[in-house]
Amino acid sequence: METLKADILISAYGSVYFEKCLSSALSQRTAARVIVCDNSPDDTVREISEKYACPRLICFRPEEPLTLHESCLRLAESSTAQWVRFLQDCEILAENSLEKRLEQAETFGGISMTFSAYTSITPDGKRHRIYYDLPEFVKGEDYLFNIFEETPLKRFTNILIKKDIILSYLFRELSPFSEWVPAAAAMIAMTEGDLVYSSETMVTRYETQPEKTPEPEMLLDEAESMMNVLTYIESATSARKAARRLKKELMAEIIRENTVSLIKEKRWSDIRNYIFGALQINKKAVLGTVFHISVLGLFARAAARAVKNLRSVSK
């Protein structure tokens, strides 16, 4: 069997942790290449990259700084490996992290993604180990129904993923402003194959930025992007026929009306909580995996209709 290859792809914006990030990436013996997209406002990233110059390291700087979405696409297009490991410049890989992920990918054939526990360090210096009560091998569609309460996949922090997923049509179409772009990639992966999880801490992430209240326009883009992904997932599963049989339009209509109500009252910070809360409640309201997927699809369509009115109401 051919040995799997992976490139480490770094979106660099000038974090004070970039040098540690780059050093940890280059220390991964199984990395085919380390590719850096330099979106920083000064020459810091370039100077550090030159300091660590080696045949495996490629650093390029676009004419204008790219968003995370654009940067990830550009990096994936530059990769020649089947698998890619994304890092932001405030993330440090543990020793042999990539090697262990690739070993799992080889052990469990047919998977689309591997991920692991990780450590988060907040600005006040507190360390938090983020891990999940999951088996080592996870059926993709089964795990799909558990990601909305608290997802380990909402960042690229701990994901080794097949490159084709990042270059897929759906990923390209997602809003470049959406903070859910990494989660969307993971959700696509769950419909393409199965997953492997390790409870071993493989990454350290420095939380350098405090949480901000999202602007209304970003919430609109985010909601629209997620509706596209949910609709894709519903249509990509074998439960599509079952979804047609379910007479849940009343529930979908209630979701739509409540979403529009929040928009009219300009309760922007509540919209996202309601969307994912409604998903979780309605998932628990029905029995069976097929019905879970069906409710997901009905909600996607209902929320998509609500989003159409969002921009006009918010003006």
Side-chain angles (χ1 to χ4, degrees), residues 14 38 40-46 61:
D38 180 3
S40 63
D42 54 35
D43 295 329
T44 304
V45 169
R46 177 184 60 80
R61 185 180 180 91

Side-chain angles (χ1 to χ4, degrees), residues 279-295:
L279 270 174
Q280 197 63 29
I281 291 171
N282 289 315
K283 184 201 77 174
K284 294 176 180 177
V286 291
L287 299 175
T289 299
V290 168
F291 297 115
H292 291 174
I293 300 175
S294 303
V295 171

Side-chain angles (χ1 to χ4, degrees), residues 55-206:
R56 290 193 303 146
L57 174 61
I58 297 173
C59 181
F60 67 89
R61 185 180 180 91
E63 292 184 5
E64 297 290 336
L66 303 177
T67 64
L68 178 60
H69 179 271
E70 296 167 334
S71 183
C72 289
L73 276 175
R74 185 75 65 85
L75 285 163
E77 289 168 347
S78 302
S79 171
T80 57
Q82 180 185 4
W83 293 79
V84 292
R85 179 66 178 258
F86 285 96
L87 287 181
Q88 295 185 50
D89 57 4
C90 57
E91 299 168 351
I92 291 89
L93 286 174
E95 185 178 2
N96 298 328
S97 173
L98 186 62
E99 182 177 6
K100 292 176 181 178
R101 299 266 63 76
L102 285 171
E103 285 177 357
Q104 285 193 313
E106 288 181 318
T107 301
F108 297 90
I111 66 169
S112 55
M113 181 176 66
T114 78
F115 62 107
S116 68
Y118 67 98
T119 297
S120 172
I121 301 181
T122 57
D124 58 5
K126 293 182 179 179
R127 301 174 69 94
H128 304 275
R129 181 170 178 264
I130 313 299
Y131 63 96
Y132 303 87
D133 184 18
L134 292 170
E136 183 179 24
F137 178 78
V138 185
K139 294 291 291 183
E141 289 187 6
D142 291 346
Y143 186 57
L144 175 63
F145 306 115
N146 298 316
I147 71 170
F148 292 101
E149 289 183 342
E150 184 178 13
T151 168
L153 310 177
K154 70 177 183 178
R155 300 189 183 97
F156 279 121
T157 304
N158 59 341
I159 299 175
L160 175 68
I161 193 168
K162 281 191 173 178
K163 182 181 65 178
D164 289 348
I165 290 169
I166 305 301
L167 296 179
S168 68
Y169 173 79
L170 180 64
F171 187 86
R172 290 178 181 275
E173 290 299 305
L174 291 177
S175 166
F177 303 103
S178 172
E179 67 178 83
W180 289 93
V181 162
M187 292 169 74
I188 297 169
M190 281 182 255
T191 68
E192 299 294 330
D194 297 319
L195 322 175
V196 175
Y197 172 72
S198 172
S199 59
E200 183 179 355
T201 300
M202 297 288 186
V203 184
T204 296
R205 176 182 174 87
Y206 289 88

